[in-house]
Amino acid sequence: MDARLRRVNKEIADCKNDKTSHISIDLVDNSPFHLRGSFDGPEGTPYEGGRFEVDIVIPDSYPFQPVKMRFITRVYHPNVSSASGAICLDILKDAWSPVLTLKSTLISLQSLLCSPEPRDPQDAEVAKHYMTSKESFEDTARYWTQIYAGGPGKDGKSAVQKGGVKDEIAMAGLNKAHVDQFEALGFDRSKVIDVLRRMNYRGANIANINDDRVVEELLK
Amino acid sequence: MPFTSVDGDRSLEECISLQQQELEVLDSIYPECIYRGNMNGIVKLEIPVELPETATLIIDGPNDASPAHALSPETVSPQTASISTLPPVLLEILLPASYPFCSPEILSVHATHSWFPFTSALQRKLLEMWQTGEEILYTWLECIRTGEFLDMFELSSAASGERVIRIPHAAPHLLLPLLTAYDKSTQLKTFCQNSYECQICLSSIKGARCILLSCSHVFCRACLENFWKLCIAEGDIGRVGCPDPQCVKALSEANEEEVRRVVTDEEVRRWKWLREKRMVEKDPTVVHCPMSFCQHPVPKAPNVEEGSGWERLRTCPQCSYSFCSYCKRTWHGPHTDCPISVTETFVREYLALPEDSPERAVMERRYGAKNIRRLVERYEEERANERWLEHSTTECPTCNVHVEKSFGCNHMTCAKCREHFCYRCGERLQASNPYVHFSTPGKRCFSKLFDFENIDDEWQPMEGFDAI
C-alpha cells in the first residue's frame, strides 16, 4: 500500500471519528482519490444554516502537492467562482503544506466563508458587489445559501416558498424597482438582470451609472 | 564475627536487608546510574546532570589573570552556551555493614572533564545530609541529577526567569566545547529514543528515523525525503524547507546540512545548481565569466561600497578569473579606467536607450547607477574635448600633441618637440625656411599665414586683421 493511500485512508477515518466538527468526507465512486467533503456554513454569516459540498480530487503526489477542491454547492462569495465553484485560497496553491489535511483544508474553506478577501477575488463581479454594499451582498449570499445550500433564508423562511421558483433578481443581488424600471422600457427581463449585474448596479454605485449607459449596454 | 548487633537491637541482618532494598529500588529507577559489581560494600553512582529546563552556562576564567593570560583574551573572557545537560558526576561510595545506622563513606567524587571544581566540598556537603537511620543514596542521586547541588554552591541563579549557571574554570575555552558537545550528544540520544508523530504520514515514528529541523519541527525521514525529492525533481526549490504551514508561509528554506541529511548526493547537487540559477536570475549584479570555457555566473562581491571602483570587480568562483565587469578584461584595479573604446561602446549603448527605460534600469542595477552616471559624464566631457580639439587645435605631426593657437601667425613651433608645422593644415614645415609653405603660389596655404580659421572652415575676414 503506498503512502498516499495510507494517508488518505487515515484522514477519512479520522474525519469519521470526529463528531464535533460536523465535517464529513465520503467516497464519490470506488476510488479513495475522488471524494466529496461537506461542512456547515459558519455561524453569524450569510452562509449559516447551509450545508456546503466540495468536490475533492487527490493528486498523484499528494500530500506533497495540494489537494484539488471545488465547491459543488453554488456559493455567493468573492473568492469562489459563482459559476464553476473554483476556489481562490492560498493554501490550495503556493501556501500548501504537506502537513495540511483534508479536514484542516475544509475547515480553512469554512473560515474563508467567514472572512472574504475581496482584494484577491475569484469572482470579480461578486467582489465588486461586496465592496459596493456589504449589506446587499449579504442578502444575496443568504438567498443563495437558501436556494442552493438548504439555508433558512431571511427571517427563517423556507427555501421553497414560491413553489421552487427562484427569484432571479434576488439571485443577482439587484433591486426589483431597478429591474422593473428598465424592463418597462421594453427590454427583456433576463437581459436587464444580466446587464445590471455586470454593471454592479447596486447601492452607492448607482449614482455613478448613467441611465443612458445602461440602455446602451442593453442595446448591445 | 566479633559483633552481632549494632546500635542496641539493630541486627546486622536488618542492615543488610535495608541496604539490599535501597540498592534494588535505585537500580529499578536509574539502572544506568548505579554499579555495584562484586565490590564489597562499594557502590558507584554515575549521575548525569539533567537540568529541568535549558539554562545559560557561563564559564568564568581565573580572576587573577596573569599578564600572560591577559594577552590572549579568549582564555580569560567568560565563555557562554545554552545547555540542558551536564556530564555525569561519579560518586564512589562505601557502605559499611551497619549502614544506614552508621554513616556511609564517600571514597571519591569526580566530574567528567573535571567540569565541577568543588568536588571535596561536595563530598562534605553530601555527608552532612545524612542522618542516622536514613537511606541517603536516592537523595544524593536526585540532588545531583536535577542540578540542585549547583544551588548549594551558589553556582546557579535565576535571572529574569531564565536559569544561569556559572562555573569557574582555569581554561574556559577548553572546557566549553567539551560541555556543549556532551549536551548535544545527550540531546541527540534522547531525541533518538523518543517517538514523534510525523504530521505527513500521520504515524508515530521513532526519533532515530526522524529529522529535527532547525525550526525545531520534527518529521520522519521518509516523508521529508519524498517531499524534497519531488520538489528538487520539479525544480521547485522554494519548497525545499520545513513542511509546517507556518514555515511554508514564512517561505523558510532548508539549509544545506538538512538537505544533505535527507536526499542523495546527486539531488543535493541539483538543488545547489538550481539555487545558484535562481540567485543568478534574481541578482541583477551578476555577469557571466568572460572566459569562453567557463561562462560561470559571477555576482558582485558583498560589502562593496556603492560607487567605488571596486563595484566593477568580479572574481569567478569557478575558474578564479578576476575581471572588470565593464570591459570584461583582467582586473585593472579600482582606479584605472577601462580602455576607452570599450567604455565608449558601453556608454553609447546606454545613451542610445530611452531615458527611464527598463533596459537602462537593468544596466544601472548591474553596473551601479553612480558608476554609469560618472562614465556618461566623463564620456560627454571626452566628446566635448574631442570636438574642441578637432575644432580649435592642431596636432603636432611629430609628437601628436594638440596645440591651440591664441594669437599670431600660422607658423607653429611645437613647444614639446620643437617641430615646425602649419597650424592651418598641420603639415610639417622646413625648419630653415618655414614660410615657403605660405608664400608659394599654388600651395593650399598660400598667403594664409595669418588665417585664424581652420582649413575646413569658410574664410571670414576679421576686423583689424589687416593691422596685424
Side-chain angles (χ1 to χ4, degrees):
Chain A
M1 198 162 71
D2 72 333
R4 174 173 78 131
L5 183 62
R6 205 159 42 217
R7 175 164 152 159
V8 171
N9 282 338
K10 265 188 190 162
E11 287 194 47
I12 295 172
D14 176 48
C15 240
K16 281 223 162 65
N17 294 333
D18 179 3
K19 304 282 182 229
T20 54
S21 64
H22 296 285
I23 286 177
S24 66
I25 297 175
D26 302 295
L27 267 64
V28 171
D29 34 52
N30 286 328
S31 159
F33 303 129
H34 187 199
L35 305 163
R36 177 172 300 182
S38 59
F39 59 86
D40 291 336
E43 282 173 34
T45 70
Y47 310 99
E48 183 175 351
R51 182 81 180 164
F52 294 87
E53 288 201 322
V54 178
D55 184 62
I56 303 170
V57 174
I58 312 280
D60 287 345
S61 41
Y62 184 81
F64 305 119
Q65 292 290 351
V67 60
K68 293 192 176 91
M69 285 195 182
R70 188 181 66 78
F71 271 104
I72 300 170
T73 311
R74 292 188 69 189
V75 186
Y76 199 74
H77 188 280
N79 305 105
V80 180
S81 163
S82 55
S84 68
I87 302 159
C88 179
L89 183 63
D90 60 349
I91 57 158
L92 290 176
K93 292 172 213 152
D94 47 329
W96 169 260
S97 147
V99 170
L100 297 173
T101 60
L102 298 176
K103 191 169 100 184
S104 68
T105 310
L106 288 171
I107 290 172
S108 296
L109 287 186
Q110 207 174 18
S111 57
L112 179 70
L113 294 188
C114 296
S115 46
E117 186 43 81
R119 275 161 300 180
D120 186 17
Q122 176 70 250
D123 195 309
E125 279 183 19
V126 179
K128 265 192 234 157
H129 190 181
Y130 180 88
M131 305 277 259
T132 310
S133 165
K134 206 175 163 202
E135 201 184 319
S136 159
F137 160 82
E138 286 187 344
D139 282 344
T140 311
R142 198 170 293 116
Y143 188 68
W144 279 50
T145 307
Q146 182 188 357
I147 294 287
Y148 296 115
K154 229 178 183 172
D155 318 318
K157 277 181 279 179
S158 159
V160 283
Q161 48 177 350
K162 290 174 196 165
V165 179
K166 286 179 275 185
D167 181 354
E168 296 294 339
I169 297 171
M171 289 286 299
L174 296 168
N175 189 318
K176 187 162 184 308
H178 298 142
V179 177
D180 290 346
Q181 179 196 338
F182 290 100
E183 205 183 353
L185 297 174
F187 291 104
D188 183 48
R189 186 185 175 86
S190 60
K191 176 126 196 188
V192 172
I193 291 172
D194 189 44
V195 166
L196 292 184
R197 195 194 65 227
R198 261 191 293 128
M199 295 183 86
N200 192 21
Y201 201 84
R202 293 153 184 144
N205 204 32
I206 295 171
N208 304 328
I209 306 172
N210 196 312
D211 282 2
D212 292 347
R213 261 193 62 209
V214 179
V215 173
E216 216 171 277
E217 282 295 318
L218 283 165
L219 287 170
K220 270 184 189 168
Chain B
M1 280 282 144
F3 59 86
T4 51
S5 77
V6 278
D7 198 19
D9 53 344
R10 315 267 186 211
S11 70
L12 199 55
E13 281 77 36
E14 195 185 347
C15 290
I16 287 170
S17 104
L18 279 172
Q19 285 183 28
Q20 205 82 33
Q21 248 177 40
E22 186 182 4
L23 291 172
E24 265 166 25
V25 167
L26 265 191
D27 203 30
S28 61
I29 305 177
Y30 296 114
E32 68 281 352
C33 294
I34 179 162
Y35 177 71
R36 294 188 263 170
N38 289 327
M39 296 164 291
N40 213 354
I42 289 179
V43 176
K44 280 190 175 199
L45 294 179
E46 192 174 353
I47 313 161
V49 181
E50 293 155 3
L51 304 170
E53 68 237 335
T54 309
T56 308
L57 172 72
I58 303 173
I59 307 178
D60 291 310
N63 289 332
D64 52 338
S66 62
H69 275 117
L71 284 176
S72 46
E74 79 271 12
T75 56
V76 283
S77 67
Q79 306 263 317
T80 64
S82 182
I83 50 141
S84 54
T85 59
L86 281 162
V89 173
L90 183 72
L91 297 185
E92 197 172 332
I93 301 157
L94 176 68
L95 300 180
S98 48
Y99 170 83
F101 299 102
C102 78
S103 171
E105 233 176 282
I106 299 180
L107 300 176
S108 75
V109 176
H110 178 77
T112 307
H113 304 314
S114 308
W115 67 268
F116 184 71
F118 311 118
T119 43
S120 43
L122 176 63
Q123 185 174 348
R124 263 200 313 280
K125 292 212 179 200
L126 291 175
L127 286 176
E128 280 166 18
M129 287 161 76
W130 176 79
Q131 283 169 351
T132 311
E134 190 191 359
E135 288 118 327
I136 192 73
L137 294 186
Y138 180 77
T139 316
W140 282 354
L141 199 150
E142 277 297 283
C143 170
I144 291 173
R145 195 187 63 80
T146 57
E148 211 185 296
F149 73 110
L150 295 169
D151 298 322
M152 301 197 295
F153 293 90
E154 282 161 6
L155 296 173
S156 167
S157 61
S160 63
E162 208 189 315
R163 193 164 175 180
V164 176
I165 294 171
R166 288 193 95 102
I167 297 174
H169 194 267
H173 64 294
L174 295 179
L175 181 62
L176 191 82
L178 292 172
L179 296 190
T180 48
Y182 172 82
D183 184 53
K184 230 176 159 181
S185 76
T186 5
Q187 278 183 24
L188 187 71
K189 222 191 273 167
T190 358
F191 175 76
C192 288
Q193 279 163 358
N194 286 347
S195 279
Y196 299 88
E197 169 88 7
C198 172
Q199 295 295 308
I200 296 179
C201 56
L202 309 176
S203 331
S204 182
I205 311 268
K206 207 124 203 146
R209 285 168 56 210
C210 285
I211 295 241
L212 172 68
L213 295 170
S214 53
C215 52
S216 74
H217 290 117
V218 177
F219 293 95
C220 89
R221 219 174 253 267
C223 283
L224 218 47
E225 185 187 348
N226 286 335
F227 181 37
W228 287 358
K229 251 183 205 301
L230 181 85
C231 297
I232 293 171
E234 291 186 341
D236 194 0
I237 47 159
R239 291 177 68 211
V240 179
C242 173
D244 183 84
Q246 291 308 314
C247 292
V248 168
K249 281 224 165 115
L251 303 172
S252 66
E253 289 181 19
N255 59 40
E256 189 179 334
E257 198 201 313
E258 289 167 341
V259 175
R260 210 170 265 293
R261 282 169 69 195
V262 173
V263 299
T264 63
D265 186 46
E266 201 185 315
E267 281 152 349
V268 171
R269 238 177 296 137
R270 180 171 153 80
W271 173 75
K272 287 174 87 171
W273 176 76
L274 284 164
R275 288 221 317 176
E276 221 160 80
K277 198 166 146 251
R278 179 181 63 179
M279 181 199 74
V280 168
E281 281 158 8
K282 254 195 221 158
D283 184 358
T285 73
V286 161
V287 289
H288 290 263
C289 175
M291 285 295 164
S292 54
F293 62 85
C294 177
Q295 308 271 317
H296 197 81
V298 190
K300 189 167 82 179
N303 311 323
V304 174
E305 193 196 326
E306 204 183 319
S308 87
W310 289 106
E311 244 184 342
R312 302 180 303 198
L313 170 65
R314 298 286 188 281
T315 305
C316 177
Q318 184 82 19
C319 70
S320 318
Y321 177 53
S322 288
F323 61 97
C324 166
S325 67
Y326 288 19
C327 63
K328 308 285 189 314
R329 294 179 201 211
T330 309
W331 177 235
H332 49 72
H335 303 300
T336 318
D337 292 334
C338 303
I340 193 74
S341 59
V342 176
T343 319
E344 211 175 293
T345 45
F346 171 78
V347 173
R348 277 212 192 113
E349 190 191 331
Y350 175 80
L351 288 177
L353 295 164
E355 243 170 331
D356 300 325
S357 66
E359 290 90 335
R360 261 200 185 189
V362 166
M363 283 180 91
E364 279 170 4
R365 272 205 306 274
R366 177 168 299 155
Y367 302 109
K370 272 191 194 157
N371 271 326
I372 292 190
R373 228 169 290 134
R374 202 163 46 217
L375 270 188
V376 167
E377 242 164 60
R378 199 173 314 137
Y379 169 80
E380 266 161 359
E381 198 185 73
E382 203 76 31
R383 290 286 305 149
N385 205 20
E386 261 171 48
R387 275 196 300 276
W388 174 80
L389 283 175
E390 212 175 279
H391 194 257
S392 324
T393 69
T394 304
E395 216 176 329
C396 163
T398 307
C399 69
N400 300 103
V401 76
H402 286 265
V403 179
E404 184 190 22
K405 188 178 72 164
S406 49
F407 67 95
C409 72
N410 283 329
H411 165 223
M412 305 297 289
T413 307
C414 177
K416 199 175 164 199
C417 69
R418 303 268 130 221
E419 180 68 85
H420 298 260
F421 63 95
C422 168
Y423 186 74
R424 219 172 147 260
C425 69
E427 203 175 293
R428 214 173 258 125
L429 305 180
Q430 296 169 14
S432 52
N433 189 6
Y435 299 101
V436 181
H437 183 72
F438 304 99
S439 57
T440 314
K443 280 239 180 198
R444 59 187 161 170
C445 297
F446 172 62
S447 78
K448 299 234 161 108
L449 182 63
F450 288 99
D451 180 2
F452 277 78
E453 293 302 318
N454 194 287
I455 190 161
D456 304 322
D457 298 315
E458 199 65 25
W459 183 81
Q460 298 282 322
M462 290 179 81
E463 243 181 300
F465 194 71
D466 294 335
I468 300 172

